[in-house]
Amino acid sequence: MKKLRLKFYSGSEIVAYRHSMGLNQTEFWGNVGVSQTTASRYETGRDVPFAILVLLTLCYGTKAQAQSIVNKIRDI
């Protein structure tokens, strides 16, 4: 089974990327349907569910990363 190429693997990576884009939590996380309260929990150390990491990669990752996810889903 081929491993997915995700954009993020931790809350700290997400925070750094969000800051680099100049977005607040509501703007950034709203694109994947996550509330600001939940986003804060993820960014301060709670584990980010795999499904959310996949959605973030689809929204903010490279085309190659997004395509690898789509290809994997089609293979299922």
Side-chain angles (χ1 to χ4, degrees):
M1 183 184 301
K2 189 175 180 180
K3 187 175 179 180
L4 292 180
R5 295 175 7 198
L6 299 175
K7 173 82 174 172
F8 309 105
Y9 291 92
S10 69
S12 61
E13 290 176 333
I14 294 167
V15 172
Y17 184 78
R18 180 175 64 75
H19 286 167
S20 76
M21 292 186 64
L23 298 174
N24 65 37
Q25 287 178 332
T26 302
E27 294 166 333
F28 181 85
W29 288 93
N31 288 327
V32 293
V34 173
S35 71
Q36 185 276 324
T37 303
T38 302
S40 180
R41 290 180 186 137
Y42 294 155
E43 290 187 5
T44 57
R46 291 238 178 126
D47 287 340
V48 182
F50 181 74
I52 299 296
L53 293 174
V54 169
L55 289 173
L56 288 171
T57 300
L58 290 172
C59 286
Y60 298 109
T62 65
K63 287 183 181 183
Q65 289 167 326
Q67 190 61 53
S68 75
I69 291 170
V70 171
N71 290 343
K72 182 65 179 165
I73 292 169
R74 286 184 177 162
D75 289 344
I76 294 175

